[in-house]
Amino acid sequence: MMHLTLYWGKNVTLLVDSWKTDSWLSYLLTLLACFLFSSFYQYMEDRRLHFRSLSSSSTTAVPLLPKYQRSAKFATAVLFGVNSAIGYLLMLALMSFNGGVFLAVVSGLAVGYLFFRLIDDEEPWVVIDNACACA
């Protein structure tokens, strides 16, 4: 039976017909897989942004960088494709409308952001040489 509203229960069909949970152990393992997969999504997004910053860095500062710029751009494109596929699979998992799957994916994204992406947000985007607003 396909649910069209959010429900709570251990009986879930996730992504394919062969991935069905019928016991609490299989349900908890499915929730763990959703949690880890969504945390891995944040890790892959961090790596993609890292390669993107490598590919867009200035060539005047490092003269040997253009050779690595092409490979960094290619790695960014590959990681974007992989990350998009993971994101769509997570969206399809959420479309099972199971409350536990929803909480596992959202908490996995939050924990993954905390461990992998929060470090990037602490770096300042704009460097201010003079703190005076009138300068």
Side-chain angles (χ1 to χ4, degrees):
M1 178 179 172
M2 173 111 177
H3 292 274
L4 296 177
T5 59
L6 194 66
Y7 74 98
W8 299 91
K10 66 176 174 48
N11 297 325
V12 178
T13 301
L14 198 68
L15 298 177
V16 291
D17 284 335
S18 60
W19 191 348
K20 292 183 181 184
T21 62
D22 54 356
S23 67
W24 284 107
L25 179 64
S26 63
Y27 181 65
L28 291 176
L29 289 175
T30 297
L31 294 182
L32 180 65
C34 290
F35 178 85
L36 293 175
F37 203 55
S38 57
S39 295
F40 181 69
Y41 174 83
Q42 290 291 359
Y43 172 75
M44 293 297 287
E45 182 68 14
D46 178 63
R47 294 293 86 202
R48 184 183 71 83
L49 293 175
H50 177 72
F51 280 119
R52 185 173 145 200
S53 69
L54 284 178
S55 67
S56 66
S57 62
S58 174
T59 58
T60 59
V62 182
L64 298 177
L65 192 61
K67 181 174 109 174
Y68 297 110
Q69 237 178 351
R70 279 183 248 144
S71 60
K73 284 183 180 182
F74 180 74
T76 301
V78 168
L79 286 176
F80 178 78
V82 169
N83 212 29
S84 295
I86 292 172
Y88 282 121
L89 286 174
L90 287 172
M91 179 198 61
L92 289 173
L94 287 175
M95 290 179 66
S96 69
F97 291 105
N98 183 274
V101 171
F102 176 77
L103 291 178
V105 169
V106 170
S107 61
L109 288 171
V111 169
Y113 184 85
L114 177 68
F115 285 131
F116 302 119
R117 306 269 314 277
L118 196 59
I119 297 168
D120 292 340
D121 288 344
E122 292 174 358
E123 297 174 4
W125 289 99
V126 178
V127 178
I128 300 173
D129 293 332
N130 190 351
C132 179
C134 60

